[in-house]
Amino acid sequence: MSVTNLNIAVVGATGAVGAEMLRVLEERNFPFSGLRVFASSRSAGKTVTCKEKPYTLETLEGADFSGLDIALFSAGSETTKAYRKAFNDAGCIIIDNSSAYRMAGDVPLVIPEINGEDLKGHSGMIAVPNCSAIVLLMALYPIYKLTPVKRVVVSTYQAVSGAGAQALRELTEQTRDVLDGKVVTPTILPHRIAFNLFSHNTTINDEGYNGEEWKVIQESKKILHDDSIAIGVTCVRVPVERAHTESINIEFMGERPSLEAVRSALGAFPGVKVVDDRAANHFPMPIDASGKDDVLVGRIRNDISNPNAIDIFASGDQLRKGAALDAVQIAEYLVEHDLLTKK
Ligand code: A2P
């Protein structure tokens, strides 16, 4: 890295993704000289730790953002919308984990291993894609580059921490309550999650797709620069603490590649690890993906129902590669490619 005096901020530093951002900054030894941490008024004055130093949480209201170079946001769309101008006017680039600006024409939506190039010419707002889209594309892209893809059909098994720190607490408390024979009343998630699963808790649109499914479809096309790829998705919330898992059917334009070629393309791709042990029946699992940077991909097999298709199964930590790690990798890309000034 060429820059060592960066001043950065984490907005939403007490949340599930924000806390992970602090851990990733520390683990990757991201070269900041100053760090400011923001949360809501509920947390103001408390401290969080990064690189073994305590940082006091500030509120955004009335704060002076001058001197900041990069802010990693994960405090919801409304917060991003409300503070975009103030941060950008202060010369600070926002890398935003919310969906506020992901589909905006002037906002790069980036998975650095796939479309880092899109960061060139950014105008101060950069979006981190939806976590399910990231897990899908990390598994799909190496295969997509190998052989042109016509259609993808995805079913997700999404961890509760994707709905935030409070939802994760609800899973733990509810599970204990169910085991204790108590009556449970969901408060954060719309339905009981302990020993249950349900269609993703986002609004259903006129087409019958929920918000999460729609994001996966639209964002994947934007990241791949491919409007012609057909994508069908069903998103489901499951009682897993962490890491999203996805069953992915890939239909090619013509003849499908050999499984050997698929396996080696996946194995060679940075950020992907092949976990595909048929003899041991060991394939990607959320408990193996949790806390890891790599997206695990396995169950690589020909689709016996379609001569031009294959099936794969992927699991990735949605708080890490699906959010915090992707954000920090974008920041690293900006530093490494001298893209810290907005166009
Ligand atoms: P707080 O913990 O003080 O509520 P999650 O998605 O895990 O629920 O986390 C949401 C994050 O966004 C938390 O850090 C939360 O802070 C933060 N947040 C919510 N509203 C605001 C706001 N108006 N300004 C700054 N941070 C906010």
Side-chain angles (χ1 to χ4, degrees):
M1 298 237 174
S2 52
V3 181
T4 50
N5 58 347
L6 282 174
N7 287 306
I8 65 168
V10 173
V11 178
T14 52
V17 173
E20 201 60 36
M21 284 169 165
L22 295 173
R23 268 193 289 278
V24 173
L25 288 167
E26 178 173 307
E27 282 172 21
R28 296 174 76 87
N29 200 18
F30 186 84
F32 61 81
S33 57
L35 169 64
R36 290 172 69 187
V37 288
F38 295 89
S40 78
S41 52
R42 290 180 289 276
S43 310
K46 294 181 189 162
T47 56
V48 290
T49 306
C50 189
K51 295 192 184 178
E52 291 170 2
K53 269 182 67 180
Y55 292 89
T56 304
L57 290 154
E58 304 176 53
T59 54
L60 294 165
E61 292 83 18
D64 177 2
F65 307 119
S66 52
L68 285 172
D69 298 297
I70 301 175
L72 308 179
F73 268 60
S74 190
S77 293
E78 293 316 310
T79 304
T80 305
K81 286 180 192 160
Y83 285 92
R84 174 186 189 170
K85 190 171 177 329
F87 274 80
N88 282 174
D89 284 353
C92 178
I93 297 166
I94 295 176
I95 301 174
D96 182 33
N97 190 57
S98 85
S99 59
Y101 295 104
R102 283 184 189 148
M103 295 309 296
D106 63 340
V107 175
L109 180 66
V110 174
I111 302 173
E113 295 90 336
I114 297 174
N115 65 331
E117 286 278 311
D118 288 354
L119 290 169
K120 292 178 181 152
H122 73 83
S123 54
M125 170 61 75
I126 295 156
V128 175
N130 167 273
C131 48
S132 298
I134 292 181
V135 174
L136 167 64
L137 293 176
M138 287 297 288
L140 175 66
Y141 187 68
I143 303 168
Y144 175 93
K145 274 212 318 190
L146 192 66
T147 309
V149 171
K150 182 175 165 190
R151 178 171 183 247
V152 179
V153 180
V154 191
S155 298
T156 72
Y157 308 75
Q158 296 187 220
V160 165
S161 48
Q166 287 183 300
L168 182 58
R169 269 195 295 281
E170 182 161 77
L171 169 66
T172 316
E173 284 161 17
Q174 229 178 55
T175 303
R176 197 174 293 123
D177 286 349
V178 172
L179 289 172
D180 288 345
K182 294 185 186 155
V183 176
V184 299
T185 312
T187 54
I188 306 297
L189 292 165
H191 306 287
R192 179 177 131 178
I193 186 66
F195 305 100
N196 190 28
L197 56 81
F198 48 81
S199 183
H200 195 276
N201 46 294
T202 36
T203 314
I204 309 286
N205 67 14
D206 291 344
E207 314 279 353
Y209 282 77
N210 63 46
E212 183 83 352
E213 292 161 351
W214 210 242
K215 285 177 195 169
V216 172
I217 296 166
Q218 305 305 326
E219 293 181 24
S220 296
K221 290 175 183 228
K222 177 169 175 174
I223 295 161
L224 294 173
H225 301 285
D226 183 353
D227 277 336
S228 71
I229 188 169
I231 306 175
V233 193
T234 302
C235 288
V236 175
R237 187 75 75 189
V238 297
V240 161
E241 287 185 307
R242 203 172 152 137
H244 290 353
T245 303
E246 303 186 8
S247 165
I248 307 164
N249 180 268
I250 306 165
E251 183 182 349
F252 298 91
M253 297 277 193
E255 209 179 312
R256 63 189 166 202
S258 73
L259 296 185
E260 246 344 285
V262 168
R263 217 170 265 122
S264 73
L266 287 165
F269 196 71
V272 168
K273 184 175 174 205
V274 174
V275 177
D276 198 36
D277 186 343
R278 292 182 181 185
N281 210 320
H282 187 203
F283 299 110
M285 292 191 285
I287 53 167
D288 289 342
S290 292
K292 306 275 167 47
D293 289 349
D294 286 338
V295 172
L296 312 180
V297 186
R299 298 231 57 205
I300 302 160
R301 63 201 192 277
N302 286 326
D303 175 358
I304 58 164
S305 72
N306 181 341
N308 293 331
I310 64 166
D311 281 294
I312 58 171
F313 197 64
S315 192
D317 188 325
Q318 91 290 351
L319 297 177
R320 278 184 93 86
K321 183 57 192 164
L325 173 62
D326 200 74
V328 174
Q329 286 176 314
I330 290 171
E332 289 173 349
Y333 193 105
L334 295 176
V335 172
E336 279 159 13
H337 293 80
D338 204 12
L339 294 171
L340 284 171
T341 5
K342 55 184 178 149
K343 297 283 174 298

